[in-house]
Amino acid sequence: MGATTLTFATRSGSQAHDGPVADYPALYIGGQWVAPTDGGTMESIDPATGRVWARVAFGGKGDIDRAVAAARAAFDGEWGRMPPHERAALMRRFADLYRQNVERLAQLETRDSGRALRESRADVGMHHNYYHWFASLADKHHGRTIPMDDSVHAFTSRLPLGVVGAICPWNVPLMSACWKLGPALAAGCTVVLKPAEQTPVTALELGALIEEAGFPAGVVNVVPGYGAGGAGEALAAHSDVNKISFTGEADTARAILKTGADSLKRYTFELGGKSPHILFADADVEQALNAATNSAWTLCGQSCALGSRVLVERPIYDRVVETFASRAAKVRVGMPLDEATHMGPQSSADQLEKTLRYVGFGRDDGAELLAGGKRIERESLAGGYFVEPTVFANATNDMRIAREEIFGPVAALIPFDDEAEAIALANDTAYGLTAGLWTQNVGRAHRVSAKIQAGIVWVNTYRYLRWTTPYGGFKASGWGRENGLEALDSYLDTRTTVVSTAGTFPDAYAS
Ligand code: NAD
């Protein structure tokens, strides 16, 4: 199967990205496309070929200073004064533009991250709904009237936090940006968006759509750059940034907290996971297997919600093992722009190396390698970071492949004997992002889901996400929620106003 040849039209000029390297020479700051002052040019590698496919401007501390100043000026200026329904109208215009550009954005996302086009399309094709839904909330963050005695009138007002630093990961760049921009703009905040250094392109494309939608200068600024020592750290440290909304690894969140400690800003942290996917023997096993295999390999394993710990009740264990092995052989790993490809490459050489290292840990710890476990080196994929969908049987929950986030397409199949053991295994993890469970017993569905320590529990489905459903983690999986009303709330502050109806105040020193 050969790669489909596609021609990309980028904002920096129409180029066929199969050949010439795409050029993104400017940052988007204060409504202008500007050269970096203390950054430079970074190369974005196409993970399917290992070759440079784009050259992209990146910013340093000075550029972050400029971007934060522009965001502050917009917050204190036109954007801050704009009536909420007008902000909503701009967001809706942006959402419509986004929708018109879905195919192009999905292709660019695939090119930058290696995600199979069919997955990028399905994901990116949903984002306009998020933007529209958050637009609909822009004039609905009401305060409350607080019952008091007759001498005062007390009420709350919801106020935007101010300037937000949005720091995104490389696995789902457009989704992550969407989950931050939607609620931040609906709340009335302004944003400095820093995409991951591995996938800088689509954030700049978002900047172009923001410009086309007609947002006032500085409402959204886009500064690609590095993390530690670069634009990411500068944003996290900046004293005029009111909130950091970060998606990435737990260790990076810890570093961001230390960096920002002096400024006492707010945080949302969307971090990693090691999600249990529990298959009870009383489940509709065929459906459960469809979900369990897909959720272990989706995004080439580079999903925070990956159902990588598959907990299987013993009576169906052999069937699950056989199906995982046979399904692994059916996964079409290939060039990510090929319409037929199920699974593209890992996003970077580092990530490929990490996945292979963990395959070694699985073997060393005594798990049985049932399928996969190797880099794919056939000629058509040579040069890319392709790995086989991998299955370990007879894994135990104390093995490294069951405890640590691999971020590769590696499933660990772990048997259990009863409900209590399933719950104990599910919760025996540092993480608590997502979980899945399959059972046709409605009592068990409620009983077990109520005991799982995870921010979202899917029953008889998996990875079902919508703009309306709060998403985020317990434990080391993060702080706060993205999506749903909770997300909007996290970009707002509360002011309580107490007005005396009498206007009198007793003299405490009269006697
Ligand atoms: P990462 O933590 O290495 O990097 C994420 C971002 O942080 C990048 O933009 C990077 O440049 C920046 N960064 C790095 N060091 C920094 C520092 N010291 N200060 C400020 N910024 C810094 O994460 P990654 O490898 O890009 O992404 C993968 C991780 O993201 C996984 O753990 C995955 O589970 C998690 N993730 C979570 C969710 C979720 O919603 N919970 C979604 C997607 C990914």
Side-chain angles (χ1 to χ4, degrees), residues 97-152:
L97 283 170
Y98 194 99
R99 187 176 200 176
Q100 287 160 25
N101 281 275
V102 159
E103 181 60 24
R104 201 173 59 81
L105 290 170
Q107 290 180 14
L108 292 169
E109 180 100 323
T110 285
R111 199 69 199 265
D112 226 14
S113 71
R115 185 177 194 181
L117 182 59
R118 58 164 69 190
E119 284 191 358
S120 296
R121 236 185 229 144
D123 177 19
V124 177
M126 297 280 276
H127 295 168
H128 66 277
N129 295 303
Y130 288 77
Y131 287 116
H132 270 297
W133 189 71
F134 278 108
S136 76
L137 297 180
D139 57 1
K140 295 180 189 61
H141 23 96
H142 311 290
R144 287 180 297 126
T145 303
I146 301 171
M148 304 281 278
D149 61 68
D150 284 349
S151 66
V152 291

Side-chain angles (χ1 to χ4, degrees), residues 375-394:
R375 181 176 187 171
I376 300 175
E377 299 193 86
R378 68 174 182 261
E379 202 185 334
S380 59
L381 304 184
Y385 312 130
F386 295 91
V387 67
E388 295 169 334
T390 299
V391 187
F392 278 106
N394 296 319

Side-chain angles (χ1 to χ4, degrees), residues 38-276:
D38 59 351
T41 303
M42 52 170 52
E43 294 181 330
S44 182
I45 306 290
D46 179 346
T49 61
R51 291 199 295 269
V52 175
W53 84 274
R55 291 207 181 83
V56 183
F58 75 90
K61 182 178 177 311
D63 298 302
I64 288 294
D65 288 345
R66 285 199 294 167
V68 172
R72 175 60 60 192
F75 183 76
D76 291 342
E78 190 180 349
W79 182 248
R81 287 192 300 270
M82 191 178 280
H85 68 278
E86 288 182 21
R87 281 196 270 110
L90 278 173
M91 288 181 70
R92 280 194 284 271
R93 197 174 307 153
F94 171 74
D96 289 340
L97 283 170
Y98 194 99
R99 187 176 200 176
Q100 287 160 25
N101 281 275
V102 159
E103 181 60 24
R104 201 173 59 81
L105 290 170
Q107 290 180 14
L108 292 169
E109 180 100 323
T110 285
R111 199 69 199 265
D112 226 14
S113 71
R115 185 177 194 181
L117 182 59
R118 58 164 69 190
E119 284 191 358
S120 296
R121 236 185 229 144
D123 177 19
V124 177
M126 297 280 276
H127 295 168
H128 66 277
N129 295 303
Y130 288 77
Y131 287 116
H132 270 297
W133 189 71
F134 278 108
S136 76
L137 297 180
D139 57 1
K140 295 180 189 61
H141 23 96
H142 311 290
R144 287 180 297 126
T145 303
I146 301 171
M148 304 281 278
D149 61 68
D150 284 349
S151 66
V152 291
H153 175 214
F155 59 94
T156 60
S157 310
R158 308 305 315 281
L159 311 167
L161 284 179
V163 176
V164 172
I167 303 181
C168 295
W170 47 260
N171 62 330
V172 280
L174 280 171
M175 185 193 88
S176 180
C178 164
W179 288 15
K180 298 177 191 320
L181 284 175
L185 295 177
C189 294
T190 55
V191 180
V192 177
L193 173 64
K194 194 209 82 69
E197 51 271 42
Q198 299 87 343
T199 52
V201 162
T202 48
L204 289 167
E205 294 280 345
L206 282 184
L209 293 181
I210 288 283
E211 183 182 33
E212 194 176 338
F215 281 84
V219 173
V220 176
N221 307 273
V222 185
V223 183
Y226 293 94
E233 188 175 321
L235 195 54
H238 206 292
S239 58
D240 203 26
V241 170
N242 301 96
K243 169 176 173 141
I244 293 289
S245 178
F246 168 76
T247 301
E249 292 181 9
D251 279 344
T252 311
R254 292 183 184 104
I256 286 173
L257 268 182
K258 286 176 191 153
T259 306
D262 282 346
S263 61
L264 286 177
K265 47 176 70 78
R266 312 287 174 87
Y267 296 95
T268 296
F269 287 141
E270 290 290 354
L271 310 179
K274 195 71 198 176
S275 300

